[in-house]
């Protein structure tokens, strides 16, 4: 079923929207949640929570395409669960990836200006499109999906050290890009 048809089911408040979403994007949402939480049961719960949030936000939203909309929901719910589970503990892929990014992304606090957040998001998007496709794909896998370096290296037929170095260089380029855009890095 096409995304538009699934979204139409949500707008009609037809419960089969959840079933169709699960068929098409269940594994995708689970992949995101599992890489952040490293627990299959938690990942399954996040997938269900993703469907609930989609149900509650469509309408008024009409996402097109649906996949990144669901991915963003799944990722945010997973990060929230991770943070609540690990407020005292430090470790894992999420912490490693976020610490790596902290070198080049301006810090945000809960009271951050929404306009500044939108500007940062726009700048990050523009930066990603300046990268070669392969580098962009690896960067997104590492810092959006929180994939381990070993997995990225395997999937791109590279050594882990090469992926680590490429991510370091890309983060440095990002820091330079954001400085030119007027962000305090």
């Amino acid at each position: 079923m096409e995304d538009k048809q699934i979204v139409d089911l949500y707008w009609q408040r037809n419960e089969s929207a959840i079933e169709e979403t699960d068929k098409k994007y269940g594994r995708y949402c689970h992949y995101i949640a599992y890489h952040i939480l490293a627990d299959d049961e938690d990942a399954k719960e996040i997938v269900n929570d993703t469907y609930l949030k989609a149900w509650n936000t469509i309408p008024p939203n009409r996402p097109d395409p649906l996949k990144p909309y669901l991915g963003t929901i799944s990722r945010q719910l997973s990060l929230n669960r991770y943070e609540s589970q690990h407020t005292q503990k430090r470790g894992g892929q999420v912490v490693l990836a976020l610490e790596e990014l902290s070198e080049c992304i301006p810090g945000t606090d809960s009271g951050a200006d929404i306009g500044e957040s939108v500007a940062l998001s726009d700048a990050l998007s523009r930066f990603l499109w300046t990268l070669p496709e392969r580098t962009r794909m690896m960067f997104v896998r590492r810092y959006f999906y929180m994939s381990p370096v070993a997995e990225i290296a395997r999937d791109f037929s590279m050594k882990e050290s090469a992926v680590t170095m490429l991510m370091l260089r890309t983060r440095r380029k990002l820091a330079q890009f954001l400085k030119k855009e007027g962000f305090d890095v």
Side-chain angles (χ1 to χ4, degrees), residues 106-131:
T108 58
D109 57 17
S110 57
D113 178 19
I114 292 175
E116 188 174 321
S117 296
V118 170
L120 177 60
S121 177
D122 180 56
L124 288 171
S125 181
R126 284 185 282 114
F127 169 75
L128 287 172
W129 288 106
T130 68
L131 299 174

Side-chain angles (χ1 to χ4, degrees), residues 11-25:
W11 273 78
Q12 296 164 8
R13 307 316 280 165
N14 185 330
E15 291 182 14
S16 64
I18 303 294
E19 183 180 325
E20 294 299 327
T21 301
D22 186 53
K23 283 181 192 174
K24 190 165 183 180
Y25 297 117

Side-chain angles (χ1 to χ4, degrees), residues 99-165:
E99 285 177 356
E100 290 169 7
L101 274 181
S102 69
E103 306 166 359
C104 57
I105 300 284
T108 58
D109 57 17
S110 57
D113 178 19
I114 292 175
E116 188 174 321
S117 296
V118 170
L120 177 60
S121 177
D122 180 56
L124 288 171
S125 181
R126 284 185 282 114
F127 169 75
L128 287 172
W129 288 106
T130 68
L131 299 174
E133 181 179 7
R134 184 176 166 100
T135 303
R136 181 176 59 245
M137 290 170 56
M138 292 166 64
F139 193 83
V140 169
R141 285 273 306 270
R142 179 70 179 139
Y143 300 113
F144 183 84
Y145 296 113
M146 305 294 178
S147 298
V149 170
E151 180 181 305
I152 296 169
R154 183 194 69 227
D155 292 350
F156 286 88
S157 302
M158 296 174 67
K159 292 182 179 180
E160 285 184 42
S161 59
V163 172
T164 301
M165 184 55 67

Side-chain angles (χ1 to χ4, degrees), residues 38-50:
D39 182 274
D40 192 53
E41 288 304 312
D42 282 347
K44 288 177 183 176
E45 287 180 31
I46 292 297
V47 170
N48 287 329
D49 291 347
T50 299

